[in-house]
Amino acid sequence: MIDFLIPGLCLLACLASLVLLRRRGAKPFDYGLQLAIWLSAWMLWQPPAIIPAERNISINSKQLASSHPINLNGVESLSLDGKPLGRDKLRDLAPVRLELSKIQESDSSWEFDWQRRITLGDSLKLKVHNNQPLTENVQISLLNPYGHIEDSLELKVGEAIQAQLTATPKLAGPQLYRVRTESEAGETHTDPLPILVREPLQPKLLLWLARPSFETAALSRWLRQSGVAAQVMTQLAPEISRKETLNGLPLTESADLLTKESPFDLVILDSSLWPHLSSQQKRQLSELATTKSVLWLVSGDSSEEFLKYAAGHSMPLQKGEATHLHSDFDYLKADNPETPPLRNLGFIALQPGSSDFLLGNAETPLFWGRSSQRQHLGFILFSDSHRWLTSGFATEFASLWKSIIDYQLKHLGSQQPVTLSDELPRTQERITLCSPLFSYQSPFLSEFQNSSRSTRGIAASKSSQGQCYSFWPQSSGWHQLWTELEGESALDFYIFAKEDWPQWQRSLNARETRQMAAARLGPVDNRHSGKMPIERQWPALILLLLVCTSWWRERRLSNRSLS
């Protein structure tokens, strides 16, 4: 709006001046003077581009990193000198080529990598890498949150480093380890190493059998020995069942074992139970696979109604010829011809999905599982695995069943992924977070356990990871990303201070500067932007001279009229 308002006011004022001059019978010089005055006033607002621009300029990286805008109109090549800059400082520049011949390269290339999230009981592994030989002896120590040394490395002069430090967290929650670097010259620097330690999941399992068998007895025994909290129900008669619990799980007497409120995370059912289930239980099973995980022990005499149930969930099974297969499966480290063969029931998996888990032969698998956002359903299509236990192959038996149950429970604790664009997110710098979650809800960022001090993100472009939002955090420490006020945070992560990890920052900046220089090919055609606007003090000086000239003429004319 103001782009049209200022020229419009100048034009109206100029026309009014010309009308007044005509009434007075002014000379042509006065008309030209008024036109020049209002043209200078408009030039003060919009300086004309009449100065030839420099095609190649050199600029210090500190000036480029400052908040002051830099005019790059007409510039084709920008030569950087000084320290390298991060991607965020370079990607918003005008499309110019970057020359790095004057940039200060670091004498070392440090890189650090560790798991940002681990499960309680797992080891924290910090990988240290430097492909340049060291110029002095360095000691690197990994300190726990209480300041005690967990592990350390002595690095010698001339070595290229490829090493690892380890520690085992003792508590769950956000933990701030530290890395202390001590040089031979006596310089010491300590940097934060944040990790988020999660409590291990303890899923509950229901095994509901139509009748006792050697296969189900072996499975129950393995569940007990592996420490899985489970409840085993064996149907002895239509209204009579035997119930037992494993590994300290309280007995659940409720009849609503197949509802969404069921305490069990995985329900393993015998397909021979299907004819004995009520219509209500069958409806509940159809809904249960969307919130819990359902696994079927398919028997060779499964009813047609059960096969229709499988087809109704887009996992149709077709009965084929039963075969016997040895343990030549991908999940085993090596084949063993002495392992007793499994009996493949011969069911053919029709139309399996690209992300489905097919164990063994893809056409007649031993197990067909599907774990997606809308469905967690699996079918076990083999028997005779109990012979592995009686033949001394307990390890292979455990590996077989663990691979199946782990797959059926892999959705527990999972959530829509949130991708953080930066390896080292820092204060007062842009960080970009992307997730499919953000397509429906706008995220906001807050300090850890303090959602009152929160900031909304600014929508950025979409990527393969989903909708992206940018933030500029102002304080270091743990932060939480939310999509709604209630419920759990979508992501907990750490914001580093500007002075943290100086050597790693230099390596990251050098790498990102090289990447941006390789990506920036400059403008395709810059002939139309080869002029730069004049600075505003020149139109202001011209306007002042013209106004003074007009005032002098007015004084002269008034003196003549008086005389």
Side-chain angles (χ1 to χ4, degrees):
M1 180 64 182
I2 196 169
D3 292 337
F4 299 99
L5 180 61
I6 300 296
L9 290 176
C10 291
L11 182 60
L12 289 175
C14 182
L15 291 175
S17 299
L18 295 177
V19 170
L20 292 175
L21 289 174
R22 184 176 180 182
R23 289 180 180 178
R24 288 169 46 186
K27 296 180 179 180
F29 179 80
D30 295 318
Y31 286 98
L33 186 60
Q34 287 298 317
L35 288 173
I37 287 175
W38 291 110
L39 178 62
S40 300
W42 177 79
M43 288 170 56
L44 191 62
W45 165 254
Q46 190 71 37
I50 59 176
I51 301 177
E54 293 186 61
R55 297 289 181 176
N56 305 295
I57 65 171
S58 178
I59 192 171
N60 189 274
S61 56
K62 287 185 178 180
Q63 183 181 354
L64 195 62
S66 67
S67 58
H68 301 292
I70 299 174
N71 191 344
L72 296 178
N73 287 339
V75 177
E76 293 182 352
S77 177
L78 181 65
S79 178
L80 283 179
D81 59 46
K83 296 181 180 180
L85 297 173
R87 183 182 294 107
D88 191 49
K89 296 292 191 301
L90 298 172
R91 65 180 170 186
D92 293 333
L93 286 176
V96 297
R97 291 184 178 88
L98 291 179
E99 299 289 342
L100 306 181
S101 56
K102 300 179 182 179
I103 206 74
Q104 297 177 5
E105 290 290 345
S106 176
D107 57 354
S108 62
S109 179
W110 289 93
E111 291 186 11
F112 299 86
D113 186 34
W114 70 94
Q115 319 101 295
R116 306 300 173 103
R117 291 168 171 257
I118 64 173
T119 302
L120 187 63
D122 293 344
S123 295
L124 166 65
K125 298 177 182 178
L126 171 65
K127 296 178 181 179
V128 184
H129 175 71
N130 186 358
N131 56 10
Q132 300 291 334
L134 295 178
T135 57
E136 60 178 342
N137 294 336
V138 175
Q139 181 177 4
I140 300 180
S141 303
L142 178 60
L143 311 180
N144 62 24
Y146 308 102
H148 303 142
I149 297 177
E150 295 282 342
D151 200 357
S152 62
L153 285 173
E154 294 280 352
L155 309 177
K156 303 298 182 182
V157 174
E159 291 182 349
I161 309 304
Q162 185 77 38
Q164 179 175 286
L165 295 168
T166 60
T168 303
K170 304 297 191 298
L171 298 173
Q175 302 290 325
L176 193 61
Y177 281 68
R178 295 193 176 273
V179 177
R180 186 172 64 200
T181 306
E182 301 173 88
S183 66
E184 191 176 22
E187 296 181 359
T188 302
H189 198 276
T190 304
D191 299 297
L193 189 79
I195 59 169
L196 190 62
V197 185
R198 298 172 296 185
E199 291 277 5
L201 296 175
Q202 296 180 333
K204 299 176 183 178
L205 187 148
L206 172 64
L207 178 60
W208 192 350
L209 307 171
R211 54 184 176 269
S213 66
F214 290 115
E215 188 79 355
T216 57
L219 178 58
S220 299
R221 178 185 174 188
W222 174 74
L223 290 174
R224 184 188 300 276
Q225 292 176 343
S226 60
V228 177
Q231 179 170 316
V232 181
M233 294 176 53
T234 306
Q235 207 71 33
L236 303 177
E239 300 295 334
I240 302 175
S241 62
R242 183 182 64 196
K243 301 177 182 178
E244 64 172 328
T245 60
L246 309 178
N247 300 309
L249 181 69
L251 182 65
T252 302
E253 297 284 358
S254 172
D256 299 328
L257 297 176
L258 304 180
T259 63
K260 293 182 180 180
E261 291 73 27
S262 170
F264 302 103
D265 302 296
L266 173 61
V267 178
I268 304 177
L269 298 166
D270 191 336
S271 67
S272 300
L273 279 172
W274 187 265
H276 307 292
L277 297 175
S278 65
S279 57
Q280 181 183 3
Q281 289 175 321
K282 292 175 181 178
R283 286 194 303 270
Q284 290 173 345
L285 277 172
S286 297
E287 298 176 0
L288 190 65
T290 62
T291 55
K292 308 285 186 177
S293 183
V294 178
L295 181 61
W296 288 95
L297 302 173
V298 182
S299 60
D301 57 351
S302 297
S303 64
E304 288 295 327
E305 190 180 357
F306 173 76
L307 297 181
K308 289 180 181 179
Y309 157 82
H313 285 77
S314 303
M315 298 181 71
L317 296 170
Q318 181 179 331
K319 189 70 172 70
E321 184 178 353
T323 57
H324 286 82
L325 295 175
H326 282 277
S327 57
D328 53 347
F329 314 127
D330 292 339
Y331 65 89
L332 293 179
K333 296 180 180 179
D335 299 341
N336 191 337
E338 297 181 2
T339 305
L342 293 177
R343 184 169 181 267
N344 188 326
L345 301 178
F347 281 97
I348 301 173
L350 302 176
Q351 303 173 352
S354 58
S355 60
D356 291 355
F357 181 27
L358 298 171
L359 184 62
N361 187 295
E363 183 179 356
T364 56
L366 297 174
F367 168 68
W368 182 12
R370 179 175 296 167
S371 184
S372 62
Q373 293 182 9
R374 298 182 178 181
Q375 186 179 17
H376 313 290
L377 185 62
F379 298 94
I380 293 175
L381 308 173
F382 66 84
S383 63
D384 292 350
S385 65
H386 66 277
R387 297 176 60 197
W388 290 11
L389 285 179
T390 58
S391 303
F393 295 96
T395 302
E396 288 77 4
F397 179 91
S399 178
L400 170 65
W401 283 98
K402 185 176 185 301
S403 65
I404 294 172
I405 292 180
D406 282 352
Y407 180 82
Q408 288 300 121
L409 292 173
K410 74 173 188 176
H411 67 283
L412 288 182
S414 64
Q415 55 186 357
Q416 291 277 14
V418 179
T419 305
L420 179 62
S421 62
D422 303 273
E423 294 181 62
L424 198 65
R426 283 154 280 184
T427 57
Q428 300 177 3
E429 293 191 9
R430 173 177 15 207
I431 62 170
T432 303
L433 296 147
C434 304
S435 175
L437 282 172
F438 304 157
S439 300
Y440 312 101
Q441 297 168 304
S442 174
F444 60 93
L445 187 67
S446 69
E447 296 180 10
F448 193 74
Q449 295 182 345
N450 186 12
S451 58
S452 60
R453 296 181 60 185
S454 61
T455 56
R456 285 282 179 186
I458 298 176
S461 59
K462 283 189 175 181
S463 69
S464 57
Q465 288 83 24
Q467 177 65 46
C468 298
Y469 281 81
S470 295
F471 298 86
W472 284 263
Q474 299 301 309
S475 60
S476 61
W478 285 100
H479 284 66
Q480 293 179 304
L481 186 74
W482 305 82
T483 55
E484 55 185 13
L485 291 173
E486 303 295 333
E488 297 182 357
S489 61
L491 180 68
D492 297 345
F493 64 102
Y494 191 87
I495 300 295
F496 295 88
K498 280 186 173 294
E499 61 272 13
D500 291 339
W501 296 102
Q503 293 179 323
W504 190 16
Q505 282 196 51
R506 286 195 292 269
S507 300
L508 287 175
N509 289 344
R511 184 179 68 191
E512 292 177 358
T513 300
R514 289 192 297 269
Q515 290 174 350
M516 293 301 291
R520 283 181 167 272
L521 302 179
V524 177
D525 186 0
N526 214 12
R527 289 175 296 178
H528 300 291
S529 58
K531 304 289 185 181
M532 293 182 62
I534 61 175
E535 297 182 2
R536 280 191 168 87
Q537 60 261 33
W538 296 111
L541 180 59
I542 294 172
L543 180 60
L544 179 62
L545 291 174
L546 292 173
V547 170
C548 290
T549 302
S550 177
W551 175 81
W552 176 75
R553 283 187 60 81
E554 290 291 334
R555 292 278 299 178
R556 185 179 177 186
L557 291 173
S558 63
N559 290 334
R560 284 182 180 178
S561 61
L562 289 175
S563 61

